[in-house]
Amino acid sequence: MHDFILREIKNSNIENEIKKIGFDVSYANRAVEKFDYKNLKIYNLSSAQANIIKQTALSVGADCATHRDVITGKIEKSNCILGGSISQLKKISEKLKAQPFGLKELGEKILSFATSGPLLQANEGVLRDCVPKNEAESSGEGCKRPKLVGILNITENSFSDGGLYNELESAKQHLLEMINVGADIIDIGAESTKPYSSPVDAKTQIEKLLPIIDFAKDKIAISIDTRSAKVAEECLKAGAKIINDVSGFDYDEKMSDVIAKYNCPVIIQHSKGTPENMQNSPHYDDVIEEIFLNLHKKCEFAKSKGITNIIVDPGIGFGKTQENNFEIIRRVEEFKSLGYMIMLGISRKSFLNLKDNTQRDIYTTVINALAIERNVDYIRVHNVKMHKTLIDLMRMFMVE
């Protein structure tokens, strides 16, 4: 009896693995497509479209799950899940180009997912003006690391550091410290949006923000954490580069007009409710799907206003249970399908259920390691130094 030895390969560089066994090196880069498998969820298909996609998938050895009544025509619309190797998805894409019911366009989208993942929208131009390339990108060595967004709360009541940097001199000192240890952007807020906090009027926010912007604007890219269109406009005029709206345009209907006027990058965050009520027993039937579709709707609205420089944030802690938050982190890479870069803000949040900032920073860093592994583009943190060390270590770990 032969003693067969099996090992599951977890190395994402499958091309290197097949070369090691003596596979034809001239064909290895194409053969890799047969070993890389993707599952794509496609929304709101007609029964005819879903049937064609399923039959096309089966014809190349892939598969497509649809509603059970698609085949009978008893339902008008169905979502579907299309699964196949990169090679199979390319074949499906090519076949769909010859099909009716608008499936040619779907075929092109499937091809973009198959070849390079969801295409990032054309939003990197302004961002690159705001944020210098990091060392790994500049040198062409190692993996592309996420940008570090240092948090500067000039508030009296923020969750973990309220009052520490409420005075201008202490704010200046902390800002310089974060720059010196590796921050790429500083996100400054003068209004706490922690659970059960109350709004801060625009005048008060502006009076606190303008002096620190004037101090920092020539030193680093400044993001302003505000829900107010008036605050956003005054800060952009003063030299801020990015607006971080945790309400995702829901709080102030004029915010989108300000973003469009100044053609600045905007962070569109998902939030269920407002800080005053968002943690009152939040509920989702499907947390990832609901956040994904909500962000998709907000991004489409932004595009309709002429806004293209977008970062999305699924909103950890903003109307989510602890279970919801960990599910978002575990599946955060699915939001890449929106076609925009992702920011994640885990730092020191109450869902960690820890008592002091030392503990919170340690466990924030551990969880952000998982986020980095899942290709998050921006990490919003209090402890920049600890995360700069983490990223440097992970750059070595992730090189293949």
mmCIF file of all heavy atoms in Angstrom, residues 30 41 44 51 56 65 86 99 172 178 188 193 231 249 255 261 286-287 300 303 321 336 338 342 355 364 389 392 397:
data_model
loop_
_atom_site.group_PDB
_atom_site.id
_atom_site.type_symbol
_atom_site.label_atom_id
_atom_site.label_comp_id
_atom_site.label_asym_id
_atom_site.label_seq_id
_atom_site.Cartn_x
_atom_site.Cartn_y
_atom_site.Cartn_z
ATOM 1 N N ARG A 30 0.635 31.778 -16.623
ATOM 2 C CA ARG A 30 -0.738 31.570 -17.099
ATOM 3 C C ARG A 30 -1.418 30.431 -16.337
ATOM 4 O O ARG A 30 -2.613 30.481 -16.060
ATOM 5 C CB ARG A 30 -0.736 31.278 -18.601
ATOM 6 C CG ARG A 30 -0.297 32.466 -19.457
ATOM 7 C CD ARG A 30 -0.400 32.141 -20.931
ATOM 8 N NE ARG A 30 -1.775 31.823 -21.313
ATOM 9 C CZ ARG A 30 -2.115 31.320 -22.500
ATOM 10 N NH1 ARG A 30 -1.167 31.060 -23.402
ATOM 11 N NH2 ARG A 30 -3.376 31.073 -22.788
ATOM 12 N N LYS A 41 -20.482 37.813 -5.836
ATOM 13 C CA LYS A 41 -21.925 37.980 -5.696
ATOM 14 C C LYS A 41 -22.387 39.056 -6.660
ATOM 15 O O LYS A 41 -21.832 40.171 -6.680
ATOM 16 C CB LYS A 41 -22.294 38.363 -4.263
ATOM 17 C CG LYS A 41 -23.807 38.397 -4.033
ATOM 18 C CD LYS A 41 -24.145 38.477 -2.553
ATOM 19 C CE LYS A 41 -25.646 38.362 -2.340
ATOM 20 N NZ LYS A 41 -26.002 38.351 -0.907
ATOM 21 N N ASN A 44 -29.344 41.722 -8.235
ATOM 22 C CA ASN A 44 -30.509 42.208 -8.986
ATOM 23 C C ASN A 44 -30.519 41.779 -10.455
ATOM 24 O O ASN A 44 -30.728 42.594 -11.358
ATOM 25 C CB ASN A 44 -30.586 43.742 -8.899
ATOM 26 C CG ASN A 44 -30.794 44.222 -7.483
ATOM 27 O OD1 ASN A 44 -31.531 43.605 -6.713
ATOM 28 N ND2 ASN A 44 -30.134 45.311 -7.120
ATOM 29 N N ASN A 51 -30.227 32.870 -15.517
ATOM 30 C CA ASN A 51 -30.176 31.585 -16.216
ATOM 31 C C ASN A 51 -29.009 31.512 -17.191
ATOM 32 O O ASN A 51 -28.299 30.509 -17.268
ATOM 33 C CB ASN A 51 -31.491 31.338 -16.960
ATOM 34 C CG ASN A 51 -32.485 30.547 -16.127
ATOM 35 O OD1 ASN A 51 -32.112 29.579 -15.470
ATOM 36 N ND2 ASN A 51 -33.739 30.959 -16.160
ATOM 37 N N THR A 56 -23.725 29.495 -18.648
ATOM 38 C CA THR A 56 -22.390 29.849 -19.137
ATOM 39 C C THR A 56 -21.324 29.343 -18.173
ATOM 40 O O THR A 56 -20.286 28.804 -18.588
ATOM 41 C CB THR A 56 -22.267 31.376 -19.305
ATOM 42 O OG1 THR A 56 -23.304 31.843 -20.186
ATOM 43 C CG2 THR A 56 -20.905 31.748 -19.878
ATOM 44 N N ALA A 65 -24.687 29.903 -8.289
ATOM 45 C CA ALA A 65 -25.858 29.653 -7.444
ATOM 46 C C ALA A 65 -26.869 30.774 -7.642
ATOM 47 O O ALA A 65 -26.516 31.960 -7.573
ATOM 48 C CB ALA A 65 -25.445 29.573 -5.977
ATOM 49 N N ILE A 86 -9.702 31.900 -11.920
ATOM 50 C CA ILE A 86 -9.470 33.078 -12.752
ATOM 51 C C ILE A 86 -9.610 32.698 -14.226
ATOM 52 O O ILE A 86 -10.222 33.417 -15.015
ATOM 53 C CB ILE A 86 -8.073 33.670 -12.493
ATOM 54 C CG1 ILE A 86 -7.925 34.069 -11.029
ATOM 55 C CG2 ILE A 86 -7.801 34.849 -13.397
ATOM 56 C CD1 ILE A 86 -8.906 35.109 -10.563
ATOM 57 N N GLN A 99 -23.810 37.734 -25.372
ATOM 58 C CA GLN A 99 -25.160 37.489 -24.880
ATOM 59 C C GLN A 99 -25.978 38.781 -24.813
ATOM 60 O O GLN A 99 -25.418 39.877 -24.696
ATOM 61 C CB GLN A 99 -25.096 36.845 -23.490
ATOM 62 C CG GLN A 99 -24.472 35.467 -23.466
ATOM 63 C CD GLN A 99 -25.307 34.429 -24.196
ATOM 64 O OE1 GLN A 99 -26.507 34.616 -24.412
ATOM 65 N NE2 GLN A 99 -24.671 33.342 -24.599
ATOM 66 N N LYS A 172 -0.275 70.888 19.459
ATOM 67 C CA LYS A 172 0.898 71.055 18.583
ATOM 68 C C LYS A 172 1.966 70.011 18.902
ATOM 69 O O LYS A 172 2.543 69.391 18.005
ATOM 70 C CB LYS A 172 1.499 72.452 18.761
ATOM 71 C CG LYS A 172 0.704 73.580 18.150
ATOM 72 C CD LYS A 172 1.438 74.894 18.417
ATOM 73 C CE LYS A 172 0.716 76.090 17.837
ATOM 74 N NZ LYS A 172 1.432 77.358 18.135
ATOM 75 N N MET A 178 3.526 62.655 16.480
ATOM 76 C CA MET A 178 2.983 61.683 15.522
ATOM 77 C C MET A 178 3.673 61.780 14.171
ATOM 78 O O MET A 178 3.934 60.758 13.518
ATOM 79 C CB MET A 178 1.462 61.860 15.385
ATOM 80 C CG MET A 178 0.690 61.414 16.613
ATOM 81 S SD MET A 178 -1.102 61.293 16.336
ATOM 82 C CE MET A 178 -1.547 63.029 16.259
ATOM 83 N N ILE A 188 -7.795 65.467 12.407
ATOM 84 C CA ILE A 188 -8.062 66.345 13.541
ATOM 85 C C ILE A 188 -9.569 66.537 13.691
ATOM 86 O O ILE A 188 -10.260 66.858 12.723
ATOM 87 C CB ILE A 188 -7.386 67.717 13.360
ATOM 88 C CG1 ILE A 188 -5.905 67.547 13.000
ATOM 89 C CG2 ILE A 188 -7.529 68.552 14.624
ATOM 90 C CD1 ILE A 188 -5.205 68.857 12.682
ATOM 91 N N THR A 193 -17.576 62.030 18.518
ATOM 92 C CA THR A 193 -18.725 61.280 17.992
ATOM 93 C C THR A 193 -18.805 59.900 18.637
ATOM 94 O O THR A 193 -19.309 58.954 18.050
ATOM 95 C CB THR A 193 -18.644 61.160 16.456
ATOM 96 O OG1 THR A 193 -17.352 60.685 16.081
ATOM 97 C CG2 THR A 193 -18.928 62.494 15.785
ATOM 98 N N VAL A 231 -17.949 73.756 8.772
ATOM 99 C CA VAL A 231 -16.619 73.470 9.335
ATOM 100 C C VAL A 231 -15.687 72.976 8.232
ATOM 101 O O VAL A 231 -14.534 73.417 8.126
ATOM 102 C CB VAL A 231 -16.714 72.432 10.468
ATOM 103 C CG1 VAL A 231 -15.313 72.023 10.938
ATOM 104 C CG2 VAL A 231 -17.526 72.979 11.629
ATOM 105 N N PHE A 249 -22.350 61.883 4.693
ATOM 106 C CA PHE A 249 -23.262 62.864 4.076
ATOM 107 C C PHE A 249 -24.652 62.896 4.715
ATOM 108 O O PHE A 249 -25.499 63.684 4.293
ATOM 109 C CB PHE A 249 -23.433 62.625 2.567
ATOM 110 C CG PHE A 249 -22.181 62.708 1.759
ATOM 111 C CD1 PHE A 249 -21.896 61.752 0.799
ATOM 112 C CD2 PHE A 249 -21.270 63.738 1.937
ATOM 113 C CE1 PHE A 249 -20.743 61.820 0.028
ATOM 114 C CE2 PHE A 249 -20.112 63.816 1.181
ATOM 115 C CZ PHE A 249 -19.840 62.848 0.224
ATOM 116 N N MET A 255 -22.817 69.032 2.755
ATOM 117 C CA MET A 255 -21.441 68.541 2.773
ATOM 118 C C MET A 255 -20.963 68.127 1.383
ATOM 119 O O MET A 255 -19.839 68.447 0.974
ATOM 120 C CB MET A 255 -21.308 67.370 3.738
ATOM 121 C CG MET A 255 -19.890 66.782 3.813
ATOM 122 S SD MET A 255 -18.675 67.921 4.498
ATOM 123 C CE MET A 255 -18.836 67.558 6.254
ATOM 124 N N LYS A 261 -17.054 71.274 -4.526
ATOM 125 C CA LYS A 261 -16.519 72.618 -4.800
ATOM 126 C C LYS A 261 -15.000 72.647 -4.687
ATOM 127 O O LYS A 261 -14.312 73.253 -5.523
ATOM 128 C CB LYS A 261 -17.147 73.618 -3.827
ATOM 129 C CG LYS A 261 -16.614 75.044 -3.958
ATOM 130 C CD LYS A 261 -17.287 75.956 -2.937
ATOM 131 C CE LYS A 261 -16.702 77.371 -2.983
ATOM 132 N NZ LYS A 261 -17.364 78.247 -1.963
ATOM 133 N N ASP A 286 -28.013 41.204 7.789
ATOM 134 C CA ASP A 286 -26.743 40.782 7.181
ATOM 135 C C ASP A 286 -25.823 41.996 7.217
ATOM 136 O O ASP A 286 -25.905 42.880 6.363
ATOM 137 C CB ASP A 286 -26.969 40.309 5.742
ATOM 138 C CG ASP A 286 -25.701 39.779 5.089
ATOM 139 O OD1 ASP A 286 -24.599 40.249 5.444
ATOM 140 O OD2 ASP A 286 -25.805 38.903 4.210
ATOM 141 N N VAL A 287 -24.959 42.076 8.226
ATOM 142 C CA VAL A 287 -24.207 43.299 8.479
ATOM 143 C C VAL A 287 -23.309 43.688 7.301
ATOM 144 O O VAL A 287 -23.243 44.865 6.918
ATOM 145 C CB VAL A 287 -23.398 43.192 9.793
ATOM 146 C CG1 VAL A 287 -22.322 42.117 9.713
ATOM 147 C CG2 VAL A 287 -22.790 44.540 10.164
ATOM 148 N N GLU A 300 -22.255 56.282 -5.101
ATOM 149 C CA GLU A 300 -22.942 56.651 -6.339
ATOM 150 C C GLU A 300 -23.501 58.069 -6.234
ATOM 151 O O GLU A 300 -23.449 58.844 -7.199
ATOM 152 C CB GLU A 300 -24.067 55.657 -6.636
ATOM 153 C CG GLU A 300 -23.571 54.282 -7.059
ATOM 154 C CD GLU A 300 -22.733 54.325 -8.323
ATOM 155 O OE1 GLU A 300 -23.267 54.791 -9.361
ATOM 156 O OE2 GLU A 300 -21.557 53.915 -8.281
ATOM 157 N N LYS A 303 -20.573 60.422 -6.670
ATOM 158 C CA LYS A 303 -20.200 60.504 -8.087
ATOM 159 C C LYS A 303 -21.167 61.396 -8.863
ATOM 160 O O LYS A 303 -20.764 62.129 -9.760
ATOM 161 C CB LYS A 303 -20.157 59.107 -8.699
ATOM 162 C CG LYS A 303 -18.930 58.299 -8.290
ATOM 163 C CD LYS A 303 -19.068 56.841 -8.656
ATOM 164 C CE LYS A 303 -19.189 56.600 -10.128
ATOM 165 N NZ LYS A 303 -19.290 55.152 -10.452
ATOM 166 N N THR A 321 -22.748 46.050 16.972
ATOM 167 C CA THR A 321 -22.455 45.257 18.153
ATOM 168 C C THR A 321 -20.993 44.805 18.095
ATOM 169 O O THR A 321 -20.330 44.930 17.063
ATOM 170 C CB THR A 321 -23.354 44.017 18.230
ATOM 171 O OG1 THR A 321 -23.049 43.158 17.111
ATOM 172 C CG2 THR A 321 -24.825 44.398 18.189
ATOM 173 N N LYS A 336 -13.536 46.131 -0.837
ATOM 174 C CA LYS A 336 -12.736 46.504 -2.001
ATOM 175 C C LYS A 336 -13.563 46.450 -3.279
ATOM 176 O O LYS A 336 -13.264 47.127 -4.261
ATOM 177 C CB LYS A 336 -11.534 45.555 -2.142
ATOM 178 C CG LYS A 336 -10.448 45.726 -1.099
ATOM 179 C CD LYS A 336 -9.509 46.847 -1.465
ATOM 180 C CE LYS A 336 -8.336 46.918 -0.500
ATOM 181 N NZ LYS A 336 -7.393 47.975 -0.861
ATOM 182 N N LEU A 338 -16.218 47.746 -3.863
ATOM 183 C CA LEU A 338 -16.797 49.053 -4.164
ATOM 184 C C LEU A 338 -15.934 49.837 -5.139
ATOM 185 O O LEU A 338 -16.408 50.761 -5.799
ATOM 186 C CB LEU A 338 -16.974 49.858 -2.869
ATOM 187 C CG LEU A 338 -18.037 49.331 -1.894
ATOM 188 C CD1 LEU A 338 -17.861 49.968 -0.521
ATOM 189 C CD2 LEU A 338 -19.433 49.595 -2.439
ATOM 190 N N ILE A 342 -9.852 51.725 1.273
ATOM 191 C CA ILE A 342 -10.556 51.488 2.527
ATOM 192 C C ILE A 342 -9.770 52.065 3.703
ATOM 193 O O ILE A 342 -8.561 51.877 3.815
ATOM 194 C CB ILE A 342 -10.753 49.984 2.773
ATOM 195 C CG1 ILE A 342 -11.582 49.361 1.650
ATOM 196 C CG2 ILE A 342 -11.427 49.730 4.121
ATOM 197 C CD1 ILE A 342 -11.670 47.849 1.740
ATOM 198 N N LYS A 355 -9.710 48.304 29.709
ATOM 199 C CA LYS A 355 -9.837 49.354 30.716
ATOM 200 C C LYS A 355 -8.925 50.555 30.515
ATOM 201 O O LYS A 355 -9.270 51.677 30.875
ATOM 202 C CB LYS A 355 -9.594 48.755 32.103
ATOM 203 C CG LYS A 355 -10.657 47.738 32.528
ATOM 204 C CD LYS A 355 -10.363 47.189 33.913
ATOM 205 C CE LYS A 355 -11.430 46.187 34.333
ATOM 206 N NZ LYS A 355 -11.163 45.632 35.692
ATOM 207 N N THR A 364 -5.406 46.821 19.883
ATOM 208 C CA THR A 364 -5.658 47.515 18.608
ATOM 209 C C THR A 364 -4.618 47.113 17.575
ATOM 210 O O THR A 364 -4.939 46.834 16.412
ATOM 211 C CB THR A 364 -5.618 49.044 18.808
ATOM 212 O OG1 THR A 364 -6.705 49.457 19.626
ATOM 213 C CG2 THR A 364 -5.714 49.765 17.469
ATOM 214 N N THR A 389 5.949 50.461 13.804
ATOM 215 C CA THR A 389 6.756 49.261 14.060
ATOM 216 C C THR A 389 6.071 48.026 13.513
ATOM 217 O O THR A 389 6.702 47.165 12.878
ATOM 218 C CB THR A 389 7.012 49.099 15.572
ATOM 219 O OG1 THR A 389 7.679 50.267 16.072
ATOM 220 C CG2 THR A 389 7.868 47.873 15.847
ATOM 221 N N ASP A 392 6.394 47.916 9.696
ATOM 222 C CA ASP A 392 7.751 47.558 9.280
ATOM 223 C C ASP A 392 7.992 46.056 9.432
ATOM 224 O O ASP A 392 8.612 45.419 8.571
ATOM 225 C CB ASP A 392 8.777 48.342 10.108
ATOM 226 C CG ASP A 392 8.815 49.817 9.741
ATOM 227 O OD1 ASP A 392 8.301 50.171 8.654
ATOM 228 O OD2 ASP A 392 9.330 50.618 10.531
ATOM 229 N N PHE A 397 7.331 40.215 6.814
ATOM 230 C CA PHE A 397 6.541 38.984 6.865
ATOM 231 C C PHE A 397 5.806 38.717 5.567
ATOM 232 O O PHE A 397 5.668 37.567 5.138
ATOM 233 C CB PHE A 397 5.526 39.111 8.017
ATOM 234 C CG PHE A 397 4.570 37.939 8.117
ATOM 235 C CD1 PHE A 397 4.983 36.734 8.635
ATOM 236 C CD2 PHE A 397 3.261 38.076 7.699
ATOM 237 C CE1 PHE A 397 4.111 35.666 8.732
ATOM 238 C CE2 PHE A 397 2.382 37.021 7.785
ATOM 239 C CZ PHE A 397 2.804 35.800 8.309
#
